[in-house]
Amino acid sequence: MKIRLVDKSVYEITRAEIISGRFEIDFSDKSAEEVQEICSVPANLSTIELLTDGDEVYGIHTNWTKYGGVMLNGDVKTAILTQPVDVTEERVTKAEVNALAAKTATEDQAADIEQLKKDVEEGEAGVDQELFAATAVVARANFQALPDIEAVEAKVLAPEWNPNGVEYAVDYKVLHEDILYRCISAHTSQESWAPGVAPSL
């Protein structure tokens, strides 16, 4: 039996059960510290898929994002999760979920794009150029939703800065001389306002 979290990480478990308004998940191959680390990001717990040993989904639990600690019973460590009742906490978690989902999707798409590029360079048969182009478009669109730290990790997806009268909106990210920049003031680009030269933009 396994669980899969939002970031696609998969963990072996021995039990997953809702009891008295809490979701209990038993780990036998993890330390209490490891269980705490697994459960430390609420956004990552927003959707917990239950998997068979063959990785088939047989159940999904959502919104068990509040970590309540670990119970120890011999070698078994039981993670205790509850559902948040605080509206603000729930909103924050949803925002984190969206960021984490965008990051995971972008990482997956970046890996797909890199593999396709490699296949094209090596002249492998079966590479669908239309599919490759469409995948790049989707990955680049998702890229703009990433928080800055994750965006730096996936900067290969950023469009190159264009000095020829492009309208850049606040928070739009571009690559210039292999450095990632985020627009802080909406403007229309021009040669003399290159990133790094016009810090107010």
Side-chain angles (χ1 to χ4, degrees):
M1 184 177 193
K2 303 174 187 176
I3 57 170
R4 180 165 55 208
L5 306 182
V6 172
D7 68 356
K8 306 299 182 195
S9 55
V10 175
Y11 301 98
E12 295 277 345
I13 62 169
T14 54
R15 179 180 70 101
E17 189 174 11
I18 297 172
I19 298 176
S20 302
R22 63 189 197 184
F23 188 26
E24 299 183 1
I25 304 173
D26 290 350
F27 297 83
S28 59
D29 65 340
K30 303 281 183 219
S31 68
E33 292 78 15
E34 289 172 318
V35 171
Q36 181 173 342
E37 188 174 335
I38 290 167
C39 299
S40 66
V41 179
N44 207 22
L45 304 171
S46 66
T47 301
I48 301 173
E49 296 177 315
L50 302 179
L51 308 176
T52 64
D53 289 333
D55 292 336
E56 296 292 322
V57 177
Y58 71 88
I60 297 175
H61 293 280
T62 58
N63 204 32
W64 295 94
T65 57
K66 195 167 180 72
Y67 173 61
V70 177
M71 285 192 317
L72 303 176
N73 184 8
D75 289 339
V76 176
K77 287 82 181 179
T78 302
I80 306 297
L81 304 176
T82 58
Q83 296 185 324
V85 291
D86 184 308
V87 175
T88 303
E89 182 181 347
E90 196 170 344
R91 274 195 216 131
V92 168
T93 299
K94 280 183 181 172
E96 290 172 346
V97 168
N98 291 339
L100 183 59
K103 176 182 184 239
T104 302
T106 302
E107 286 172 350
D108 290 347
Q109 288 164 346
D112 289 347
I113 288 170
E114 287 305 315
Q115 184 59 51
L116 284 169
K117 275 180 167 174
K118 186 177 176 187
D119 290 348
V120 169
E121 287 168 5
E122 293 173 0
E124 293 214 6
V127 175
D128 183 334
Q129 295 294 332
E130 239 176 87
L131 178 61
F132 179 79
T135 303
V137 168
V138 172
R140 286 194 171 115
N142 284 336
F143 170 81
Q144 292 298 331
L146 289 176
D148 292 346
I149 292 172
E150 284 84 0
V152 169
E153 293 174 14
K155 69 180 182 179
V156 66
L157 296 172
E160 285 289 333
W161 176 72
N162 184 336
N164 301 317
V166 174
E167 291 185 23
Y168 286 117
V170 172
D171 290 334
Y172 194 82
K173 301 173 188 74
V174 296
L175 201 60
H176 180 59
E177 296 177 352
D178 202 38
I179 297 173
L180 186 67
Y181 291 88
R182 179 172 50 82
C183 181
I184 59 172
S185 180
H187 66 285
T188 302
S189 68
Q190 60 186 48
E191 190 70 48
S192 60
W193 290 350
V197 174
S200 63
L201 300 178

